[in-house]
Amino acid sequence: MEKSYKLGDFVTMKKPHPCGANEWQIIRMGMDIRIKCVQCGRSVLLTRREFERSLKKILGAVED
């Protein structure tokens, strides 16, 4: 099953961030994917393989 996600999407990961939030926003895509915690603003750089392995749910992009 191919997961389709794009830059700016909000995702839920299997493990929550230490601050308690479980919602992240994709802020950079390439060979690596950088995600930012919605609650505290910290960002984490993951390889695409690590990201896809720990991805739980794609929530979609925010509508302005």
Side-chain angles (χ1 to χ4, degrees), residues 29-48:
M29 288 182 67
M31 283 187 64
D32 296 323
I33 296 179
R34 185 173 295 274
I35 55 177
K36 181 175 80 171
C37 178
V38 173
Q39 183 171 327
C40 69
R42 294 271 179 140
S43 65
V44 178
L45 185 65
L46 301 168
T47 64
R48 192 174 283 264

